[in-house]
Amino acid sequence: DVEAYPPGGMPAILEEAGVNTPKPYCAVTKGSRFLLVMEDLRQIPKLKLMNLYEANVTQDMAKTVLTNMAKLHAKFWKKPWKGSWGDTTAHRRPLICATSGHVALVVTQRLYPGLIPADIATGFRDMLCGFRHLRAHWSDARYPMTLAHGDAHLGNMYQFGDNELGFFDWQCKSEEFCVHDVTYFLLSSYP
């Protein structure tokens, strides 16, 4: 996340587009170490930090999420933010994403036995095995590219006020077709 948060960086650009994300106060790196100090979201009225296992995703909530994704994608339509992942790191992403996906599945199944039905777990494993092909499809130059969040599940969103929504955890941001975020949200968070 730290490279997305320099002063005047992505949060300022997102704010212009009406996309909420925590404000950064400090973002520095030195070698493999980093410091990222961000806004304390607990100070926001009517804050609800959602989680990946949110059971009550209503149609209204799904509409709110998709509306906010549309703001993000529209702002960067055919002109992704210069700090988003581009082709220079594309060769590493399938392995990283597939590996972290497998780990997340194993950990979730251990912590919450029976939460993920067997057929869903099998389908998820199959998707991870073919992730390189799926990633190539999302990045196909025939589709208009935009800034995609890249990890758009409810655990990376917060709700506040009267049905407002915000996004955090931007380290998987990427230059891709908007369908990546939409399908990722629908498959991981919406029943």
Side-chain angles (χ1 to χ4, degrees), residues 78-163:
K78 295 186 179 181
K79 52 184 186 317
W81 181 61
K82 297 297 181 203
S84 62
W85 275 352
D87 293 336
T88 59
T89 60
H91 65 284
R92 292 195 312 254
R93 276 180 282 161
L95 176 61
I96 292 167
C97 293
T99 302
S100 61
H102 282 292
V103 170
L105 180 61
V106 168
V107 169
T108 302
Q109 288 178 316
R110 281 194 189 138
L111 292 176
Y112 305 96
L115 176 70
I116 302 172
D119 60 329
I120 300 297
T122 299
F124 185 71
R125 279 190 205 94
D126 291 346
M127 184 274 300
L128 292 173
C129 289
F131 191 80
R132 181 174 303 281
H133 301 289
L134 183 59
R135 177 71 186 87
H137 178 72
W138 284 332
S139 300
D140 191 317
R142 292 177 294 172
Y143 304 115
M145 296 292 111
T146 189
L147 174 64
H149 181 277
D151 195 14
H153 60 76
L154 281 180
N156 288 332
M157 300 174 198
Y158 57 97
Q159 191 176 12
F160 63 98
D162 294 321
N163 221 18

Side-chain angles (χ1 to χ4, degrees), residues 158-171:
Y158 57 97
Q159 191 176 12
F160 63 98
D162 294 321
N163 221 18
E164 293 290 320
L165 190 84
F167 299 93
F168 52 87
D169 194 9
W170 289 91
Q171 83 265 11

